[in-house]
Structure formats: C-alpha cells, structure tokens
Amino acid sequence: MQSILRTAALRVARPSRAFVARPSAVPLYRSTQIRTLVTKRYTTDHEAVVFDDATGVGIVSITDYAQSSLGDVVFVELPSLGTEVGQGDQIGAVESVKAASDIYAPVSGSVEEINETLSTEPGLLNKSPEEKGWLCKIKLSDPAELEELLTEEAYKAHCEA
C-alpha cells in the first residue's frame, strides 16, 4: 500500500510534459538557412580557386598534382595584402628541391588575406595543398571569370593528357 501511495505522490509532483504551455510567439522550428554556392575551378597552370558567392571571396591554392610534381616544397613567396591582381598575373612563387615555379592568379581582384603559416611551414603545400596549404584569399572583382576556368573533370582530363 505504501508503494502505491509513493507512486501516486510522484505522479502529482512531476507535471506531464504534454501539458506544458508554450507561448504562441515562440516558434517551434526556426529556419535560418542561407544558401550559398561554393564553386571550385582550376587553371591549366595547376592553381585552384574555391569561390563562395556569399562572401565574394576565392581561396587560391595549388593542386595536389602540382605539389606532387614539385616535390618537397622549401620556400613559398606570397603576394602582399591589398594587392590588386588580374587574372593570369604572377602572384608568387614556390621553390622545391626539384624546381621553382611561379604562381598565377586564377581570378582578378584584391588580395584580402594570405596564409602566413606557409612562411614557417612551406611543407604544408605537400601535406595539404588545397586545404591547410592555401595561398591567399582574393575578393573577386569579376566572378564571371570563374566560367573561363576548368571544372574538376576538365582539369583531370588536362592532367592525363
């Protein structure tokens, strides 16, 4: 009998969740989804750019194919912040144990950020060329230039040729 009373007392002490009143002004589901388009394109000189249309910024890197062709990277020269670049302009250089190679801007715009880590860790280009080893971020002046660049499939075909 005592256990029945204890169970009944617990039921009274805990209100059921089904009857909790919610203010009508607070929505149960809030959709704050913003859709952005991220495009990745390549040059025939083995640079890549990942463009986010929400920010208008493209992240420039060399491709995995380029870093494997270069060998162990020992030095990276990057553009200065605020530099205005045109599509195809030289924006830096990469030196490896095998060779030195120029880096060209895949798109036109203003250099907004550079990967400072590459000055002390140039080997990041070998470990993670298109992610941690990115070179610079360019605010595009003409996003239509992306259409002139190669898609992933076209770039793969270019490398195999």
Side-chain angles (χ1 to χ4, degrees):
M1 177 80 162
Q2 198 171 19
S3 65
I4 295 172
L5 291 175
R6 189 176 303 142
T7 305
L10 288 176
R11 283 190 200 140
V12 172
R14 288 190 232 153
S16 170
R17 291 181 187 221
F19 297 110
V20 175
R22 288 194 172 110
S24 60
V26 178
L28 294 175
Y29 176 76
R30 185 180 288 170
S31 177
T32 57
Q33 195 175 53
I34 298 172
R35 187 171 182 183
T36 62
L37 182 63
V38 176
T39 306
K40 187 172 189 176
R41 295 296 174 104
Y42 302 85
T43 68
T44 55
D45 292 321
H46 308 290
E47 290 92 12
V49 61
V50 176
F51 176 69
D52 183 346
D53 74 336
T55 61
V57 173
I59 302 172
V60 178
S61 63
I62 64 169
T63 65
D64 188 55
Y65 180 87
Q67 74 78 23
S68 65
S69 298
L70 285 168
D72 293 336
V73 175
V74 294
F75 179 75
V76 180
E77 179 186 337
L78 297 173
S80 301
L81 288 177
T83 303
E84 291 293 325
V85 297
Q87 188 175 36
D89 290 353
Q90 181 183 351
I91 59 170
V94 176
E95 292 181 22
S96 70
V97 293
K98 288 183 182 178
S101 183
D102 291 332
I103 302 167
Y104 299 100
V107 290
S108 300
S110 175
V111 176
E112 292 206 328
E113 188 177 343
I114 60 170
N115 189 349
E116 298 282 350
T117 308
L118 292 176
S119 62
T120 57
E121 295 180 58
L124 273 179
L125 283 180
N126 295 113
K127 295 174 189 165
S128 181
E130 296 184 41
E131 292 175 19
K132 293 180 182 174
W134 59 274
L135 303 169
C136 63
K137 295 182 181 181
I138 297 177
K139 179 80 169 178
L140 275 68
S141 58
D142 185 8
E145 289 178 342
L146 289 168
E147 299 305 317
E148 300 170 20
L149 301 175
L150 303 174
T151 63
E152 185 174 359
E153 296 79 24
Y155 179 70
K156 284 181 182 177
H158 170 72
C159 292
E160 293 171 359

